[in-house]
Amino acid sequence: MRLDKFLCDCSDLTRSLAGKLIRQGEVMVDGIVVKQPAFHINEGSQIEFDGAILTLDQRHRYFMLHKPQGYVCSNDDPDHPTVFFLMDEPAMGKLHVVGRLDLDTTGLVLVTDDGQWSHRITSPRHECAKTYHVWLADPVSPDAIALFAEGVLLRSETEKTRSAQLVLLGEREAQLTIHEGKYHQVKRMFAAIGNKVVGLHRECVGTLALDSALAEGEYRELTAAEVAQF
Ligand code: URA
């Protein structure tokens, strides 16, 4: 592997900045300063940069986070803090959120650097279930159960939503499981039947539930068994 690529892979550096630092003599390979970004390193090479020995950890990383309101699910936002403000991990720039929640939605957010894994969760083809606890402005009629099971036509869409499972928990409270991830889907589904979502919390993605030990704003690594569920 090239030295500049190795440096990028174990840090947040861009390829051009990594190249610049190498040319400036900031990087040592096996105790010797190497100034060629294209220098070939192998598995046994010991790379030293910024006072640390770098190793290339090939394992992907997987986390669950309890998102509070007021945080956005993107890597960068000009107006609001992102969920990455809540995390303290190396090479944060390589992580991404798996399927976004709205600014005012709370609950389970998955974060990883494994694009194939997140694709299996978000791709419509895989129909991965997402379960939400929903608080509503108006009472929910039991008729909504059949309507959502059949699928509803959302505003500015041409096809009905996939069958969704609604469980009524109270007059203005319900649990909804959907199998796709259209923009603002839960809010738009309730709007389609004349109601308004006033609170939304994601409880589960697939069979993976938000860990009740995580307070809002906390996160933890997924176990190997949790990762393997997808
Ligand atoms: N559906 C919504 O309307 N908002 C979310 O944040 C998630 C699903």
Side-chain angles (χ1 to χ4, degrees):
M1 179 191 282
R2 285 173 59 118
L3 181 58
D4 55 355
K5 177 164 182 353
F6 173 88
L7 200 54
C8 291
D9 286 355
C10 348
S11 68
D12 275 333
L13 298 175
T14 60
R15 190 78 167 248
S16 62
L17 186 53
K20 191 173 167 202
L21 292 167
I22 293 166
R23 282 191 296 275
Q24 285 173 353
E26 306 273 339
V27 181
M28 290 208 286
V29 180
D30 296 327
I32 297 164
V33 171
V34 170
K35 292 190 175 180
Q36 296 82 39
F39 184 84
H40 184 83
I41 55 161
N42 48 45
E43 268 178 28
S45 307
Q46 185 170 292
I47 319 300
E48 214 176 318
F49 168 66
D50 205 17
I53 305 286
L54 302 180
T55 52
L56 190 55
D57 189 348
Q58 299 282 13
R59 285 173 311 152
H60 283 300
R61 295 174 292 162
Y62 307 89
F63 305 94
M64 70 158 74
L65 179 142
H66 187 166
K67 179 189 171 302
Q69 285 194 344
Y71 287 80
V72 289
C73 288
S74 63
N75 288 68
D76 209 6
D77 189 275
D79 302 318
H80 301 283
T82 77
V83 291
F84 295 103
F85 282 43
L86 302 165
M87 300 182 72
D88 184 16
E89 296 295 327
M92 296 267 280
K94 300 206 181 311
L95 296 171
H96 64 268
V97 169
V98 184
R100 295 178 177 198
L101 292 181
D102 296 339
L103 185 68
D104 57 353
T105 303
T106 61
L108 176 58
V109 163
L110 299 175
V111 174
T112 186
D113 57 1
D114 182 348
Q116 286 188 0
W117 186 78
S118 53
H119 181 72
R120 284 201 291 281
I121 298 170
T122 53
S123 149
R125 202 163 56 82
H126 290 96
E127 301 195 15
C128 179
K130 268 88 61 181
T131 301
Y132 295 87
H133 194 121
V134 193
W135 291 266
L136 295 142
D138 297 313
V140 198
S141 154
D143 297 345
I145 297 172
L147 288 173
F148 283 176
E150 279 168 27
V152 285
L153 192 60
L154 304 182
R155 206 170 155 192
S156 61
E157 300 273 345
T158 52
E159 280 179 32
K160 282 183 174 182
T161 54
R162 288 193 183 135
S163 180
Q165 291 70 55
L166 182 69
V167 178
L168 302 184
L169 303 172
E171 210 188 25
R172 291 179 172 79
E173 211 173 318
Q175 188 190 59
L176 181 65
T177 302
I178 59 175
H179 302 268
E180 57 206 321
K182 294 185 195 296
Y183 183 62
H184 294 327
Q185 180 157 346
V186 175
K187 291 174 184 165
R188 289 164 74 208
M189 284 178 74
F190 279 98
I193 60 163
N195 211 327
K196 183 173 167 29
V197 171
V198 293
L200 191 57
H201 175 84
R202 184 153 70 189
E203 298 176 332
C204 297
V205 174
T207 52
L208 181 60
L210 177 62
D211 188 334
S212 57
L214 292 177
E216 281 196 0
E218 290 183 342
Y219 73 100
R220 69 158 170 83
E221 256 186 89
L222 295 187
T223 64
E226 287 170 337
V227 173
Q229 286 179 27
F230 299 101

